[in-house]
Amino acid sequence: IVPKIKERYPGRKYMAGGQQFYQHDLGMGAMLFGYAEKAVPDTINWLFNDGPKPKGQDILGGLVVDCNTDYKAMNLGDYTIDYRDDDYIRPHEMLTVELSRGCKFRCKYCNYAFLGIKEDTSTEHDLLRAELMDNYERFGTTNYILADDTLNDRESKLEMLGDVVQTLPFEPNFACFIRLDLTVAKPQQLKLLSRARVWKRHPSSESTDRVSVKLSSQLSVLYAMITHYPGIITGQRHIR
């Protein structure tokens, strides 16, 4: 699609962003991977205002910027996504909101850049509430997916989300990614998730084969699925 865009709009500059390292020439002037809040301003200034060149490698037909190394933004504390009025967001759409970054666990199959993070990188109650209220007042948004890699890694985060929800003048609905075995070891998490109106929970299981999950350090997840949530094994993908 990029060649077609360039053909239609010749002479323009393009940049791309994502979580994974780029492996192909995408026809972009700059390609950023990782959390890029700190890298984007420098890259835009270089591309469009003849500013100094950001840190990066001249490969794959453009400048590849490793934000996780050269522009670290893993623990910002404020992860507010400032949607624009001309994003034309409709009330029924599901937006993204982020409570924290990093994962406490070290599953062997995972290539996420920030594993084994012990520090609490959660946002603050007032920042989250302000973001949800702003989206509701401007777009009528009530549906969200939580971008956290493992929402239930900290109960303090679930409690904070629930506290925010209880103060809102509307009823939000959240989807998320969780570790299923934690809800077995700490059954009170199910009440915290419900209080926070987190209804759609994607369990973090990569396989139901015992050998595979042993290699990926997820035997506890498989045990939780078989013993406590057998419906998932037989095809029920989400729990309520």
Side-chain angles (χ1 to χ4, degrees):
I1 190 174
V2 174
K4 292 183 178 180
I5 294 176
K6 285 188 171 183
E7 182 179 351
R8 183 168 183 176
Y9 304 104
R12 299 192 180 186
K13 298 178 180 179
Y14 300 87
M15 61 183 290
Q19 277 293 340
Q20 303 300 323
F21 183 81
Y22 293 93
Q23 301 181 31
H24 307 285
D25 183 350
L26 302 178
M28 299 286 177
M31 293 166 280
L32 288 62
F33 70 94
Y35 296 121
E37 286 94 337
K38 294 184 178 180
V40 166
D42 287 354
T43 306
I44 290 177
N45 188 43
W46 168 65
L47 279 175
F48 301 101
N49 300 321
D50 295 323
K53 189 175 183 178
K55 296 179 181 178
Q57 297 182 356
D58 291 306
I59 56 176
L60 303 178
L63 179 69
V64 176
V65 180
D66 180 354
C67 303
N68 294 334
T69 300
D70 296 321
Y71 294 89
K72 296 180 179 179
M74 199 275 289
N75 187 1
L76 293 179
D78 183 0
Y79 311 108
T80 301
I81 300 175
D82 185 15
Y83 292 101
R84 294 167 51 94
D85 290 336
D86 57 5
D87 286 328
Y88 301 109
I89 296 170
R90 307 299 297 168
H92 66 274
E93 292 185 62
M94 178 177 282
L95 301 186
T96 299
V97 68
E98 193 171 17
L99 304 189
S100 68
R101 289 178 176 174
C103 184
K104 292 175 65 174
F105 307 105
R106 292 183 178 275
C107 298
K108 294 179 181 179
Y109 65 85
C110 187
N111 65 349
Y112 179 47
F114 299 102
L115 299 175
I117 302 298
K118 301 305 179 185
E119 63 180 309
D120 187 356
T121 64
S122 300
T123 189
E124 296 180 1
H125 175 285
D126 292 345
L127 290 173
L128 177 60
R129 187 182 190 281
E131 181 178 7
L132 298 179
M133 283 298 303
D134 182 59
N135 291 337
Y136 178 71
E137 292 172 350
R138 288 199 292 155
F139 311 118
T141 301
T142 60
N143 299 317
Y144 290 91
I145 183 167
L146 296 164
D148 298 47
D149 292 87
T150 310
L151 180 66
N152 62 331
D153 58 352
R154 298 179 188 277
E155 289 192 16
S156 59
K157 187 167 51 175
L158 301 180
E159 292 169 352
M160 184 270 290
L161 178 59
D163 290 343
V164 170
V165 166
Q166 298 304 312
T167 70
L168 296 174
F170 63 95
E171 292 186 332
N173 301 296
F174 297 98
C176 74
F177 304 93
I178 64 170
R179 273 196 58 146
L180 203 61
D181 54 329
L182 294 181
T183 67
V184 175
K186 302 177 180 180
Q188 68 272 18
Q189 286 195 355
L190 293 175
K191 292 183 178 180
L192 293 174
L193 288 164
S194 295
R195 179 174 180 263
R197 297 187 61 82
V198 181
W199 306 125
K200 194 170 186 179
R201 308 156 195 169
H202 299 269
S204 60
S205 177
E206 304 305 309
S207 174
T208 57
D209 176 72
R210 188 172 294 274
V211 175
S212 298
V213 296
K214 184 177 182 179
L215 291 173
S216 65
S217 302
Q218 283 210 327
L219 271 177
S220 59
V221 178
L222 179 60
Y223 174 79
M225 291 170 61
I226 295 174
T227 307
H228 297 271
Y229 302 109
I232 294 179
I233 298 294
T234 59
Q236 182 181 333
R237 300 185 62 84
H238 310 298
I239 61 174
R240 283 290 299 265

